[in-house]
Amino acid sequence: MKKIFLTSVLAISMIVPAMAETTAPDIAAGATSASCDSGTLNTTSGESTLSAQWTANTINLKWYNGETEFIPSNNAAKTCTYDGGITLPASAPRRTGYNFAGWQVKQVKQALFDLSTLADKIDITGESRYARGTYENADYCTAYGNGTVNTDGPDVCTEESAALSDISMHQWKTKFSYGTVKGIARCSTTPGTNWLETGNPADSGGGQYCWCQATGYATSGSNSFANVSSPSWVFYDDVGYADTCAMRCADYCAGDVRHDSDFRSAVFGVEVVEPEPEPGPGPEFD
C-alpha cells in the first residue's frame, strides 16, 4: 500500500484591520467626528441614513516544506484577499521517497516572555509612555517623553497617532532602553487594599479602582510583541470617580511602570528582596 504524507504546510497571518466608511463624502473608520451638514449627509433636516462600507483584509501567506520556508515562484500565491480564493504555488515541493499530497494550515505556537527575567534591569527608568483612555465617549490619549510633545487630551490621539497606533482603548505601553512593555488597565468595582497589591479585579467596568497588567514585551528595535507569561493584576489606587478612572487609569499604569521601580517590580513579577541590615558596632570595653 502506498503511504501519502502531508509534508508541507501553510502559515497564515492577518494584517490590516477592516475599514468601515460611509459615503457622500466618505468618513474614515476611527474618526471621532464629522461635519453635520448637507455636504456630508445630503440633507439639511429630517434624517439621514448611513451605510457601512467594507474593504476586505489582505492576508500574507507563507508556505513551508517541513520547517523550511518554501518560496512560491508566482507572486499571486504570497497573499490572498479575505473571502476570496487562495492561489497555490505554481510548483509543488519535493521530498525523496514521498508523494506530495497537498497543503494544510500550520499551527504556530505563540512565544511567551517572562518579565521577571528583566530583574537585573528593574532599576532602569523608562524613556517614554503612551496610553489611551476615554472621556465623554471620545478617546483620551497620553504621550510623554522620547521626543514627543509631553501632553494628554483628545487631540493627542491625532497628534501622536503613529506612536499610539498599536494601542487600543484602555491600553498602555512604556518604552525602555532595552525594550517596550505593553499592558492593559481595568477600572473595576473591586477595591484594592494597598498599592502594589496583586488580585483578581472584576471586569465590570464603570469602577473607580484602577488596576494594571502587563500583556506584551518586545525587545528594543522590534515591533514583534510576545505575550507575557503569568501576568498579574496590580492595584494602582482608588482614583475617586469612574469617569476619572476611564480617562486616566491607563496613563497611571504606564507612568508608574516608567518611573517607579517598586511598581515596575510588581507588574513584572520580580520579587523585591530587602537588603540585610548592616551589623552594628560591637560592645565597647573599658
Side-chain angles (χ1 to χ4, degrees):
M1 177 183 297
K2 181 187 296 182
K3 295 184 177 180
I4 299 177
F5 297 86
L6 299 181
T7 61
S8 303
V9 291
L10 164 64
I12 299 178
S13 61
M14 300 285 290
I15 68 168
V16 185
M19 305 292 286
E21 299 179 332
T22 60
T23 58
D26 293 341
I27 303 173
T32 57
S33 63
S35 298
C36 182
D37 55 29
S38 60
T40 298
L41 301 177
N42 288 333
T43 185
T44 58
S45 63
E47 66 179 34
S48 180
T49 301
L50 305 180
S51 177
Q53 304 297 303
W54 301 96
T55 300
N57 290 336
T58 297
I59 300 173
N60 289 335
L61 305 178
K62 288 187 176 181
W63 308 79
Y64 283 83
N65 182 10
E67 296 303 318
T68 303
E69 185 174 356
F70 176 79
I71 308 298
S73 58
N74 50 330
N75 288 329
K78 298 177 182 179
T79 63
C80 66
T81 301
Y82 191 79
D83 269 341
I86 295 177
T87 300
L88 299 180
S91 60
R94 295 181 179 182
R95 185 176 180 184
T96 302
Y98 294 85
N99 292 327
F100 177 71
W103 302 92
Q104 68 180 24
V105 175
K106 182 177 184 179
Q107 299 300 319
V108 181
K109 294 183 179 179
Q110 174 66 53
L112 297 177
F113 185 82
D114 183 358
L115 284 176
S116 68
T117 60
L118 301 175
D120 61 331
K121 299 178 175 61
I122 208 66
D123 291 328
I124 298 176
T125 300
E127 297 176 346
S128 61
R129 76 179 194 263
Y130 302 89
R132 191 184 293 271
T134 181
Y135 179 69
E136 294 184 347
N137 297 318
D139 284 12
Y140 189 98
C141 297
T142 304
Y144 277 82
N146 206 31
T148 64
V149 176
N150 294 341
T151 187
D152 58 84
D155 293 343
V156 177
C157 303
T158 301
E159 295 167 357
E160 299 293 337
S161 59
L164 291 159
S165 62
D166 59 348
I167 296 179
S168 299
M169 188 65 67
H170 305 306
Q171 293 185 352
W172 55 269
K173 68 178 178 182
T174 302
K175 289 189 175 183
F176 297 87
S177 57
Y178 53 84
T180 300
V181 178
K182 274 187 180 180
I184 54 178
R186 176 172 291 179
C187 292
S188 179
T189 55
T190 303
T193 304
N194 299 300
W195 181 63
L196 305 184
E197 171 190 354
T198 58
N200 187 29
D203 188 14
S204 52
Q208 66 193 57
Y209 302 102
C210 176
W211 294 79
C212 309
Q213 183 185 86
T215 58
Y217 176 74
T219 56
S220 181
S222 172
N223 292 320
S224 179
F225 282 82
N227 290 339
V228 171
S229 60
S230 304
S232 296
W233 283 107
V234 178
F235 182 59
Y236 172 79
D237 202 2
D238 173 0
V239 299
Y241 301 95
D243 56 352
T244 302
C245 189
M247 180 174 66
R248 300 306 300 268
C249 183
D251 180 39
Y252 294 152
C253 296
D256 266 26
V257 167
R258 179 184 178 228
H259 68 74
D260 193 287
S261 60
D262 289 337
F263 195 82
R264 190 159 51 246
S265 296
V267 172
F268 286 16
V270 174
E271 183 178 358
V272 178
V273 179
E274 297 294 336
E276 293 289 336
E278 294 290 333
E284 296 182 1
F285 298 94
D286 293 333

